Amino acid sequence: MKSLEDLKKMREAALNKVQMREGGKDYRVVVGMATCGIAAGARPVLNRLVEETAANDYNCVVTQTGCIGMCIYEPIVEVFGKEGEHTTYIHVDPDKAARILEEHIKNGHVIEEYTVDAAVNGGK
Amino acid sequence: MMPDLATHLLEIIQNSIAAGARNVCIRVLESIVSNTIVMEVEDDGKGMSEETVRSVTDPFTTSRTTRKVGLGTSFLKGLTDACDGSLSIESELGKGTTVTAKVRRDHIDLPGMGDFGEMIMICIQGAEECDIRFEYGVDENRFLFDTAEVKEMLEGVSIAEPEILIWIRGYINEGIERVKEIGL
Ligand SMILES: Nc1ncnc2c1ncn2[C@@H]1O[C@H](COP(=O)(O)OP(=O)(O)OP(=O)(O)O)[C@@H](O)[C@H]1O
């Protein structure tokens, strides 16, 4: 059974990790969590992003935003890099989310086929 | 559209956060005795005028600029209408808002409860600086969770660290299970 006391141990572990990684994270992974996103399934996507980031200590912070203005493409995940470069992934599901972290955040490769550009440019 | 009660509530809490709330209190109170579930979200955000309150369950009310219809509250209204319930919104500009939804507990059209631990985890993740209290009850038994308490324990470590968020999700769901078991 979990108790609030567990947090003391978790605090130590978190502090150690923060010290090791100085200088913050390289990527920001942003999920659209307005009603349109949530209705389209953004909730399990966010959930999976948080789980995978915790399990693999990926070099990113996961955050949320409101309606991105492209409701038909939800769930949407945007990845922002350090130099301000920016990729928009659309129709993301939990498994795609896990792949985005592994390929894009860990290996540095954009997964073109999941991006909004692929959809818009008829890259079917 | 909305698969479960937790997702409905998440919507309402997101509105509170968007309204700049520093404190949000969420209550999910089941009563076997009176065959009801009451779900309430109380915030100290910017509040709404009487006119906005009156129109808020109409999908054509939204302050969004990205899209013309607001969905969250009208979905909840749809749920309470479908499940022998009621929806009340009390709000005062500059003070805050309380949204209370009541439904019949054994209504055949009532969706499942969903994952309240995940719901709170998502809220914290999206609004670290906001203090969130969550209360779950079955008749007189209660489970209480308060981010202020967690933040105090964490001293300087962010409550939005992914490991902590996952722990919180589990802690809340365990608490809910315990209350349900006592209730039996
Ligand atoms: N807790 C609240 N505090 C202040 N204003 C609110 C609150 N809840 C709703 N509102 C107001 O009512 C409007 C309609 O809310 P509603 O949930 O229907 O849609 P939305 O939040 O605009 O968009 P969506 O829910 O589709 O993402 C909001 O835009 C906001 O102006």
Side-chain angles (χ1 to χ4, degrees):
Chain A
M1 201 170 92
K2 292 186 172 60
S3 92
L4 287 177
E5 289 298 310
D6 303 347
L7 290 167
K8 284 191 180 149
K9 261 182 278 152
M10 302 189 65
R11 176 174 179 270
E12 296 286 308
L15 282 175
N16 286 337
K17 245 203 237 170
V18 170
Q19 267 166 4
M20 270 162 50
R21 84 163 89 89
E22 264 180 66
K25 307 274 187 143
D26 285 349
Y27 290 98
R28 212 153 51 83
V29 178
V30 182
V31 189
M33 290 293 291
T35 309
C36 47
I38 291 173
R43 216 178 106 154
V45 168
L46 178 63
N47 207 29
R48 185 71 175 272
L49 289 169
V50 171
E51 282 171 359
E52 296 286 331
T53 304
N56 301 292
D57 200 19
Y58 286 129
N59 189 8
C60 63
V61 286
V62 179
T63 62
Q64 300 173 30
T65 187
C67 178
I68 298 166
M70 303 190 288
C71 307
I72 55 162
Y73 292 128
E74 294 281 359
I76 296 176
V77 171
E78 296 181 286
V79 176
F80 295 86
K82 253 204 170 141
E83 267 79 59
E85 72 276 27
H86 157 221
T87 311
T88 303
Y89 292 109
I90 60 172
H91 299 313
V92 178
D93 62 25
D95 289 342
K96 284 184 180 175
R99 242 199 99 199
I100 291 167
L101 290 175
E102 162 123 41
E103 279 301 310
H104 193 145
I105 307 303
K106 184 160 154 241
N107 302 332
H109 303 309
V110 173
I111 309 174
E112 296 293 346
E113 55 182 303
Y114 297 172
T115 62
V116 66
D117 298 335
V120 170
N121 301 333
K124 289 170 193 138
Chain B
M1 276 298 239
M2 292 286 141
D4 52 44
L5 299 181
T7 309
H8 271 288
L9 267 187
L10 176 61
E11 275 305 316
I12 303 305
I13 307 166
Q14 302 279 45
N15 282 345
S16 296
I17 292 170
R22 305 296 304 178
N23 295 280
V24 182
C25 272
I26 302 142
R27 293 180 201 93
V28 177
L29 303 176
E30 286 191 61
S31 172
I32 297 166
V33 177
S34 62
N35 191 23
T36 54
I37 302 176
V38 174
M39 296 174 287
E40 190 165 83
V41 178
E42 184 181 344
D43 70 54
D44 61 356
K46 68 175 174 0
M48 288 177 268
S49 67
E50 266 177 55
E51 203 189 334
T52 312
V53 171
R54 246 179 284 124
S55 62
V56 80
T57 54
D58 172 353
F60 293 100
T61 299
T62 181
S63 56
R64 290 192 171 288
T65 48
T66 45
R67 149 157 68 73
K68 286 205 178 58
V69 296
L71 301 170
T73 320
S74 30
F75 279 162
L76 187 61
K77 178 77 172 118
L79 174 83
T80 57
D81 283 350
C83 299
D84 279 359
S86 58
L87 178 69
S88 103
I89 302 173
E90 276 175 43
S91 191
E92 198 177 326
L93 274 175
K95 284 258 169 70
T97 304
T98 304
V99 177
T100 311
K102 188 172 166 183
V103 290
R104 201 174 98 199
R105 188 171 175 273
D106 66 357
H107 199 285
I108 189 155
D109 293 324
L110 194 68
M113 284 282 180
D115 187 337
F116 289 115
E118 186 195 282
M119 173 190 86
I120 299 292
M121 166 180 120
I122 289 176
C123 296
I124 297 173
Q125 212 264 350
E128 208 185 319
E129 62 301 333
C130 186
D131 274 321
I132 297 173
R133 295 211 306 139
F134 175 70
E135 181 178 345
Y136 173 82
V138 178
D139 291 316
E140 70 282 0
N141 301 307
R142 286 286 181 282
F143 167 74
L144 289 168
F145 173 82
D146 188 344
T147 56
E149 241 177 301
V150 173
K151 285 173 184 171
E152 203 179 295
M153 300 282 292
L154 287 173
E155 282 178 59
V157 165
S158 161
I159 191 170
E161 285 288 330
E163 291 82 359
I164 310 264
L165 290 173
I166 289 170
W167 181 87
I168 290 174
R169 183 182 69 189
Y171 178 73
I172 290 174
N173 285 338
E174 269 184 18
I176 289 175
E177 279 313 310
R178 234 174 300 133
V179 169
K180 281 192 172 148
E181 276 161 27
I182 312 171
L184 286 180

